Amino acid sequence: MRAIATIKDVARAAGVSPSTVSNLLNSRDHLMQPETRQRVLLAMEALSYRPSRVARQLRGAPNPVLGLIVPSVANPFWGSWAAQLETVLHAHGRHVYLCNSDRDPERERAYVEQLRADGVEQIVLSTSLPSLDHLGPAMDAGMRIIAFDREPQDTDPPGLLSVSVDNEAGAHAATQHLVDRGHRRIAFVSGAIRTVSRRRRLAGYRRALAENGIPFDDALVPLSPELGDADSGPLARQAVHALLGLDHRPTALVAVNDMFALSASAALRDAGRDAADIAVVGFDDIPFSALVSPALTTVRQPLREMAEAVVALAADGTAGTDARTSLLFAPTLVERESTARRIS
Amino acid sequence: MRAIATIKDVARAAGVSPSTVSNLLNSRDHLMQPETRQRVLLAMEALSYRPSRVARQLRGAPNPVLGLIVPSVANPFWGSWAAQLETVLHAHGRHVYLCNSDRDPERERAYVEQLRADGVEQIVLSTSLPSLDHLGPAMDAGMRIIAFDREPQDTDPPGLLSVSVDNEAGAHAATQHLVDRGHRRIAFVSGAIRTVSRRRRLAGYRRALAENGIPFDDALVPLSPELGDADSGPLARQAVHALLGLDHRPTALVAVNDMFALSASAALRDAGRDAADIAVVGFDDIPFSALVSPALTTVRQPLREMAEAVVALAADGTAGTDARTSLLFAPTLVERESTARRIS
DNA sequence: TTGAAAGCGCTAACAT
DNA sequence: ATGTTAGCGCTTTCAA
């Protein structure tokens, strides 16, 4: 393990001063002779010199990395989102550190701190927390936060940017779609409703019911205390079990996301019901939804466009202001086999 | 945007010298009076002081983060692996930066460099590259690399650690399972075979054929030039199309991973075939494999154990030596509905 | 028990 | 065109 070469080593090897090397590093080539330039370049090469980003950061240089905190990398929706955002950022020559908060506020905080400590100045945060008060210190210190999948709240700190799909509209469309198919007993399957986006989705479901004169029925919304991601399987199973145990069973079901939808479908199948018995709509349109049988009707988030928007915001200087910018994207209902049947 | 407090600010506010503050920061409480200690603590609190990790790193402190580079976060297998590894690391008080190489060698290199620049000293790398020569400089500079899902190669640099499932054995078991079910025309579906693990899986398939006196048939291994992850859908579709066009069609199919297996199953279904016609075995046991219908028979990687092993290696000091440590884990065949039928 | 000073690798005035 | 110097925030001798 050879020691790492520093700017001094290079300077010595090239017979110049560190400043000359630094000038070269910072593309101020014009203030040195071509001949000197060459010598320095050679010395760098020979020592396989790489400037220390740590030292540069100490001097105030920004870290070009963007932090991306997601609730669960085990949920393919977040994997797709991360991949999408990275593709777009990569085209802009930027890199991403993906952090998994596991929906744990403490871990989320710790990652924000860690990223800050590493000099990262921009974070795209998909938080589980309705309140962002805990980010105050980081934002005061210059951290720029873009909230994703979290529509803005009144109490948000100034300077916060938000990019989100219109969750309420999406869930409304999903529910209305079922009503249009003749369903009146429509369940809502989800883990705990503790995030802004889930609240909005539930609200969309309720509005659609109300608009169609269908009374809201608690029994059709069997929530579990857990949030559920990779573990949505057992949660959905419990919910389905509860729903099938009702006297007046649902004929259709809106799931808070595709993981719950697919898990619920599997549970229904295990219970001997198929898509002809109970229709299912998901949310997110993860790649699997098109792959399974019956293919899942779901609400698609325009990930590509949202990624472009996030990158544009990240690149934009204006974000330093106190203006709370908020972008809301329209979701699309993707009709597939899981809701094909029209009833009475 | 309030300026960030430094150790000097705290010292001034508390009426002590920076060294005293530093001593406190580094739990050398014994060499100051309780009363002084309190004053400093208060000052820190008042200024919401956080020591700069950048400065500490410049002084040689290690960055406690572990870098995790995966080929594709859009593939749920890698999401599951990341989540699993993070869970274990978190229990040890460590954090993870997840980086998506997208199977691009250049991006992989860039992430190694970026992590190095940020002072990260340990990387768990799931590379697509058979050769690791490009990591030489980073390893020389003290970077400790643990290769995951890449069985060791003769040309590997000294000091490299490897943790992998036995891919050859897994594919062998998958193929043998089909033979035991009476199949003789068994296809192998994959994207390009350019990684060590895929080579091993193909080798396991071939060995199983050979051991059972089944001649290897090129036509049954329709490879595409792309590697395929999130985009395994179209690739698998092409492969299935080619296989169904053969005079002597396969009755079963081993897929290089679950993504290809599930995509191929969907393609088969679209072509009017079901599990009773053509059996399918996958590899990885991603959570969806148990959820779909028919549930997918697959080869499970013991992610939990592998995560524990990685963490143990990462925590272990011996890894600095030139010894090439390599851990190979046994896979398990998980039998489900997709291979339930026994033929003639 | 506390403080002063040097230095980690780099940059940018400011000399020369 | 090149070099000298001070300093980013922190730690760590060493001195008081």
Side-chain angles (χ1 to χ4, degrees):
Chain A
M1 174 174 150
R2 183 172 75 228
I4 303 173
T6 75
I7 199 172
K8 281 188 189 167
D9 298 325
V10 175
R12 200 174 316 116
V16 299
S17 84
S19 359
T20 300
V21 180
S22 174
N23 283 335
L24 181 45
L25 284 175
N26 295 279
S27 29
R28 278 185 288 269
D29 315 40
H30 59 283
L31 39 79
M32 75 196 69
Q33 297 194 285
E35 194 261 346
T36 312
R37 201 183 104 90
Q38 270 314 314
R39 240 183 321 136
V40 176
L41 249 23
L42 250 41
M44 285 181 174
E45 181 64 29
L47 301 174
S48 46
Y49 168 74
R50 317 287 273 124
S52 152
R53 176 122 46 203
V54 170
R56 284 181 159 175
Q57 272 171 217
L58 188 58
R59 293 273 328 181
N63 190 324
V65 167
L66 183 142
L68 173 59
I69 302 181
V70 301
S72 166
V73 287
N75 179 336
F77 170 70
W78 295 111
S80 296
W81 163 240
Q84 188 62 253
L85 182 59
E86 224 218 285
T87 299
V88 178
L89 277 168
H90 187 251
H92 290 242
R94 299 197 52 186
H95 289 149
V96 180
Y97 284 158
L98 179 54
C99 306
N100 185 35
S101 74
D102 208 31
R103 298 192 183 278
D104 173 354
E106 205 32 67
R107 220 191 277 193
E108 179 177 313
R109 269 250 318 265
Y111 271 120
V112 171
E113 279 306 321
Q114 177 68 48
L115 287 166
R116 171 148 88 105
D118 283 324
V120 172
E121 298 185 327
Q122 296 184 318
I123 294 182
V124 176
L125 177 66
S126 298
T127 184
S128 297
L129 302 166
S131 156
L132 294 185
D133 292 346
H134 60 299
L135 298 181
M139 292 187 71
D140 283 346
M143 181 68 89
R144 291 178 45 193
I145 309 254
I146 301 178
F148 178 78
D149 192 39
R150 178 183 173 288
E151 296 154 71
Q153 307 293 294
D154 290 342
T155 57
D156 285 349
L160 184 78
L161 306 178
S162 300
V163 171
S164 178
V165 76
D166 188 336
N167 285 296
E168 204 265 358
H172 179 272
T175 311
Q176 184 63 51
H177 168 67
L178 291 170
V179 173
D180 292 346
R181 284 276 188 276
H183 296 276
R184 305 278 300 175
R185 292 288 287 170
I186 303 173
F188 186 85
V189 174
S190 171
I193 306 284
R194 281 205 298 264
T195 69
V196 172
S197 65
R198 287 191 181 182
R199 283 218 274 261
R200 300 294 296 154
R201 291 181 191 183
L202 181 57
Y205 159 81
R206 295 190 68 148
R207 177 163 67 86
L209 292 187
E211 286 175 5
N212 288 280
I214 303 174
F216 174 78
D217 181 351
D218 255 340
L220 292 179
V221 185
L223 302 178
S224 55
E226 301 294 317
L227 279 155
D229 272 301
D231 57 336
S232 56
L235 301 186
R237 192 165 298 272
Q238 282 183 335
V240 164
H241 187 79
L243 291 171
L244 291 180
L246 295 177
D247 284 341
H248 194 16
R249 286 184 187 153
T251 61
L253 170 170
V254 175
V256 75
N257 63 34
D258 285 355
M259 292 297 282
F260 272 96
L262 295 174
S263 299
S265 299
L268 285 170
R269 201 161 45 232
D270 290 352
R273 317 258 148 198
D274 65 12
D277 292 315
I278 301 193
V280 177
V281 191
F283 203 116
D284 288 346
D285 193 28
I286 61 176
F288 280 102
S289 299
L291 232 48
V292 296
S293 172
L296 182 70
T297 293
T298 187
V299 177
R300 175 179 298 158
Q301 303 204 36
L303 291 188
R304 175 76 198 209
E305 288 79 357
M306 295 168 98
E308 302 275 8
V310 164
V311 173
L313 284 179
D316 184 5
T318 56
T321 70
D322 275 3
R324 262 177 237 153
T325 304
S326 159
L327 267 37
L328 208 58
F329 285 76
T332 326
L333 183 75
V334 183
E335 299 184 29
R336 299 205 182 95
E337 301 155 18
S338 68
T339 59
R341 196 178 64 115
R342 171 164 258 115
I343 69 174
S344 58
Chain B
M1 173 174 151
R2 182 172 77 229
I4 302 174
T6 76
I7 199 172
K8 280 187 189 168
D9 299 324
V10 175
R12 199 175 316 116
V16 298
S17 83
S19 351
T20 300
V21 180
S22 174
N23 283 335
L24 180 46
L25 285 176
N26 295 277
S27 30
R28 278 185 288 268
D29 313 41
H30 59 282
L31 38 81
M32 74 196 68
Q33 296 194 286
E35 195 260 346
T36 312
R37 201 184 103 91
Q38 269 313 314
R39 237 180 325 131
V40 176
L41 249 23
L42 251 41
M44 285 183 177
E45 181 65 28
L47 302 173
S48 46
Y49 167 73
R50 316 285 274 126
S52 151
R53 177 122 47 201
V54 170
R56 283 180 160 176
Q57 272 172 216
L58 189 57
R59 293 277 323 182
N63 190 322
V65 167
L66 183 140
L68 174 58
I69 302 180
V70 301
S72 166
V73 287
N75 179 335
F77 170 71
W78 294 110
S80 296
W81 163 240
Q84 187 63 253
L85 182 59
E86 224 219 285
T87 300
V88 178
L89 277 168
H90 188 251
H92 290 243
R94 300 197 52 186
H95 290 149
V96 181
Y97 285 158
L98 180 53
C99 307
N100 185 34
S101 74
D102 208 32
R103 299 193 183 276
D104 173 354
E106 204 34 65
R107 219 192 276 193
E108 179 178 313
R109 269 248 318 264
Y111 271 120
V112 171
E113 280 307 321
Q114 177 68 47
L115 287 166
R116 171 147 88 106
D118 283 324
V120 172
E121 298 185 326
Q122 296 184 317
I123 294 182
V124 176
L125 176 66
S126 299
T127 183
S128 297
L129 302 166
S131 157
L132 294 185
D133 292 346
H134 60 299
L135 298 180
M139 292 186 70
D140 283 347
M143 182 68 89
R144 290 178 46 194
I145 309 254
I146 301 178
F148 178 78
D149 192 41
R150 179 182 173 287
E151 296 155 69
Q153 307 293 294
D154 291 342
T155 57
D156 285 350
L160 184 79
L161 307 177
S162 300
V163 171
S164 178
V165 75
D166 188 335
N167 286 295
E168 204 266 357
H172 179 273
T175 312
Q176 184 63 52
H177 169 67
L178 291 170
V179 172
D180 292 346
R181 284 277 189 276
H183 296 276
R184 304 277 299 174
R185 291 288 288 170
I186 304 173
F188 187 85
V189 174
S190 171
I193 306 286
R194 282 205 297 263
T195 69
V196 172
S197 65
R198 288 192 180 181
R199 284 218 274 261
R200 301 293 297 155
R201 291 181 191 182
L202 181 56
Y205 160 80
R206 295 190 68 149
R207 178 164 67 87
L209 292 186
E211 287 176 4
N212 289 280
I214 302 174
F216 175 78
D217 181 352
D218 256 340
L220 292 179
V221 186
L223 302 177
S224 55
E226 302 294 317
L227 279 155
D229 273 301
D231 56 337
S232 55
L235 301 187
R237 193 165 296 273
Q238 282 182 333
V240 163
H241 187 78
L243 291 171
L244 291 180
L246 294 177
D247 284 341
H248 195 14
R249 286 182 187 153
T251 60
L253 172 169
V254 174
V256 75
N257 63 34
D258 284 356
M259 292 297 281
F260 273 96
L262 295 174
S263 299
S265 299
L268 286 169
R269 200 162 46 234
D270 290 352
R273 317 261 149 195
D274 65 10
D277 292 316
I278 301 194
V280 177
V281 190
F283 203 116
D284 289 344
D285 194 26
I286 62 176
F288 280 102
S289 299
L291 232 50
V292 296
S293 173
L296 183 70
T297 294
T298 187
V299 176
R300 175 180 298 158
Q301 302 205 38
L303 290 188
R304 176 76 199 208
E305 289 79 357
M306 295 167 98
E308 302 274 9
V310 164
V311 173
L313 284 179
D316 184 3
T318 56
T321 69
D322 277 2
R324 262 177 237 152
T325 304
S326 159
L327 269 36
L328 209 57
F329 286 76
T332 324
L333 183 75
V334 184
E335 299 184 28
R336 299 204 183 96
E337 300 155 19
S338 67
T339 59
R341 196 179 64 116
R342 173 164 256 113
I343 68 172
S344 60

